[in-house]
Amino acid sequence: MDSDFVIIQALCRSALSSSRAMTEHQMGRLIDCYKKSGKEKEAKSLEGILAQSRKIQPMEPVNFVISSLEGDDLTKNTTIPVDKETAAPILEIIFQDEMEKDVPLFNDSIQSAVDAVINEWRNYDKLVQLNASPSRSCLIYGDPGTGKTMLAKWIAKSVGLPVVLAKLDGIISSFLGTSSRNIANLFRFANKYKCILLLDEFDALAKLRDDPQEIGEVKRIVNTLLQNLDARSERGFTIGITNHEKLLDPAVWRRFDVQIDIPHPSPEVREKMLAKFMFPLEYSQPELKFINWCMDDATGSDLRKLVDWLKRIIILEESESHSLPALMKRFATMNTGRVQKRITDMLNGDVASLYNELANDEYLQLKQKEIAALFEMSPSTLSKHISKSNNNGRKSDTICS
């Protein structure tokens, strides 16, 4: 058995056991093995993967106790408060073992901001001893599907606290004054225990008080919310999440120590997401880059939808051949809300223009032979198509001038 294959086996076992340290050790062995074999290109590629992973790798959850944090411990036997009119629960408790283990992927600036918040809470006891205090509240906002809720739960998992998730369908009531009472009960419960209070769809509670379309009850709800946020700022940690930050009352913004705008993932982050989601499907680097190009400006949720669709197609149409460009064309036609119109038009338009676009894209940096392989043609045929597109472009410039 080849020595490098022995290392690959150990590397796979380490990855499956979720041991990052062991995985890095085995990758180091594999890099050394490739160097000794004269395979410098493969060694440099693995070194690049390892360096990039270390650069964006967020803090891993660890077992530790925040001893000086006030409050009782939540258990699965803890009684949950309900709306008195409907008996609907006003919150849900999410414990550590129920949280997702997937590490959210973001760009460097977002990751740094998240790591800073987590680091403060991991050093809670030290800060309290110095009469300092960690950030007590965080507002996470951005477009739907960008991973805001996943990020909030990851923060909770990383600092070792359960989540008290507000249930808006139980809090918001048609009975006058009941919604404000439910908000007060929600905060009273959260303040009693060691937890992170998570207010998802936060805009439903914190709407602008001067909105002419809203009635006086909204003003009472927002006032109650502000009072309780102020009171909780001395005790626990609160995370608010919204897709509609412009609807929030200005006074609400000022109650949050940290405010993080979650953008759509960059091409580099999308590539990592695709590589992560695709397992066990296998696509080459040029194929992943082409998929990434097709999903320009997509969210993490959009990418998951695409990968799930690809897996269904491959299973349900197992006997048929699957050209990747043809599959992406089908997906774009069926998901006009997830794929940019510019991309859909190019996939359905003149093929020569599409080939030319791919060959000249700065991020893709695909060679003509790689594009030819994607579209199952010879490099010479692809070159003719690109020349045709360039000639047509020059003719159009001549006509316009």
Side-chain angles (χ1 to χ4, degrees):
M1 185 177 292
D2 294 339
S3 59
D4 57 347
F5 184 72
V6 173
I7 300 171
I8 290 172
Q9 284 182 314
L11 180 61
C12 291
R13 293 191 190 100
S14 300
L16 290 172
S17 69
S18 301
S19 172
R20 179 176 177 81
M22 185 58 70
T23 301
E24 288 191 2
H25 172 71
Q26 297 298 343
M27 283 190 70
R29 290 182 61 208
L30 187 58
I31 290 169
D32 290 341
C33 184
Y34 277 131
K35 286 181 176 178
K36 290 176 182 177
S37 302
K39 299 178 180 179
E40 291 293 332
K41 183 178 179 181
E42 289 84 352
K44 287 183 178 179
S45 176
L46 288 177
E47 285 176 335
I49 292 171
L50 192 56
Q52 187 64 24
S53 175
R54 286 170 175 167
K55 186 177 179 182
I56 69 161
Q57 179 68 20
M59 296 184 180
E60 296 184 6
V62 294
N63 294 322
F64 65 98
V65 177
I66 305 175
S67 60
S68 58
L69 181 64
E70 295 182 17
D72 300 331
D73 292 327
L74 279 168
T75 71
K76 296 192 177 182
N77 295 323
T78 302
T79 302
I80 294 175
V82 299
D83 177 89
K84 290 185 178 180
E85 309 295 344
T86 63
I90 65 173
L91 61 89
E92 173 188 354
I93 303 173
I94 306 174
F95 294 95
Q96 287 280 301
D97 59 353
E98 299 169 330
M99 296 179 192
E100 293 185 17
K101 295 182 179 179
D102 285 347
V103 179
L105 294 172
F106 297 103
N107 61 39
D108 291 349
S109 59
I110 299 298
Q111 194 62 62
S112 294
V114 173
D115 287 349
V117 173
I118 292 173
N119 193 43
E120 288 183 16
W121 276 81
R122 285 188 170 180
N123 291 279
Y124 183 93
D125 291 339
K126 294 179 182 178
L127 291 174
V128 170
Q129 288 176 2
L130 294 174
N131 200 26
S133 176
S135 300
R136 293 287 187 171
S137 53
C138 177
L139 179 64
I140 304 174
Y141 62 98
D143 289 343
T146 50
K148 298 182 297 298
T149 302
M150 178 184 288
L151 172 58
K153 292 179 180 178
W154 173 255
I155 291 173
K157 191 169 185 66
S158 297
V159 301
L161 291 173
V163 168
V164 170
L165 174 63
K167 294 179 68 68
L168 297 184
D169 54 346
I171 291 174
I172 303 299
S173 173
S174 59
F175 292 94
L176 190 65
T178 299
S179 298
S180 294
R181 184 176 65 209
N182 286 340
I183 291 173
N185 288 338
L186 168 70
F187 276 85
R188 190 178 298 116
F189 179 90
N191 292 342
K192 183 181 178 182
Y193 296 98
K194 296 178 182 178
C195 66
I196 287 181
L197 175 58
L198 178 54
L199 305 170
D200 209 346
E201 299 180 20
F202 188 51
D203 49 279
L205 293 175
K207 293 180 181 178
L208 287 166
R209 285 174 288 184
D210 59 359
D211 188 338
Q213 303 298 320
E214 299 294 352
I215 58 174
E217 178 70 359
V218 170
K219 294 183 179 180
R220 284 190 289 272
I221 290 175
V222 175
N223 287 336
T224 301
L225 181 62
L226 292 174
Q227 293 168 6
N228 282 278
L229 283 172
D230 287 339
R232 182 162 171 76
S233 65
E234 300 298 323
R235 296 184 61 85
F237 187 25
T238 304
I239 300 178
I241 298 176
T242 180
N243 300 330
H244 307 287
E245 68 277 6
K246 293 181 180 178
L247 296 180
L248 298 182
D249 191 282
V252 171
W253 279 86
R254 294 195 296 271
R255 262 63 180 193
F256 286 92
D257 299 332
V258 178
Q259 302 160 0
I260 303 177
D261 180 6
I262 305 298
H264 288 220
S266 65
E268 293 78 13
V269 175
R270 287 201 309 271
E271 190 171 337
K272 290 181 176 61
M273 287 180 173
L274 284 169
K276 178 180 178 180
F277 298 159
M278 283 293 180
F279 183 82
L281 301 184
E282 293 183 0
Y283 285 102
S284 66
Q285 195 69 10
E287 288 173 327
L288 285 175
K289 285 193 171 186
F290 172 69
I291 296 172
N292 194 353
W293 177 85
C294 292
M295 299 301 290
D296 185 38
D297 201 40
T299 66
S301 176
D302 294 332
L303 297 179
R304 280 191 180 275
K305 292 289 184 183
L306 164 65
V307 172
D308 288 345
W309 181 82
L310 286 173
K311 291 177 179 179
R312 290 199 301 270
I313 289 296
I314 290 173
I315 291 172
L316 298 176
E317 301 178 8
E318 186 177 2
S319 60
E320 302 180 25
S321 61
H322 297 98
S323 161
L324 183 57
L327 285 176
M328 292 309 299
K329 181 177 177 180
R330 283 172 61 184
F331 181 81
T333 303
M334 297 167 62
N335 293 269
T336 53
R338 294 190 172 94
V339 181
Q340 289 190 354
K341 186 177 185 302
R342 175 182 67 87
I343 300 295
T344 303
D345 289 345
M346 293 200 69
L347 290 172
N348 288 288
D350 177 56
V351 291
S353 297
L354 174 61
Y355 301 152
N356 193 44
E357 178 78 12
L358 295 174
N360 291 286
D361 188 276
E362 291 184 4
Y363 169 72
L364 290 177
Q365 296 185 344
L366 291 176
K367 299 176 182 177
Q368 287 196 16
K369 65 178 182 180
E370 293 173 329
I371 299 173
L374 274 173
F375 289 88
E376 300 175 352
M377 65 176 67
S378 67
S380 60
T381 302
L382 176 72
S383 182
K384 291 177 183 177
H385 280 293
I386 293 176
S387 297
K388 175 185 174 183
S389 175
N390 289 331
N391 290 333
N392 289 339
R394 283 192 286 271
K395 288 179 182 178
S396 297
D397 292 339
T398 302
I399 292 172
C400 290
S401 60

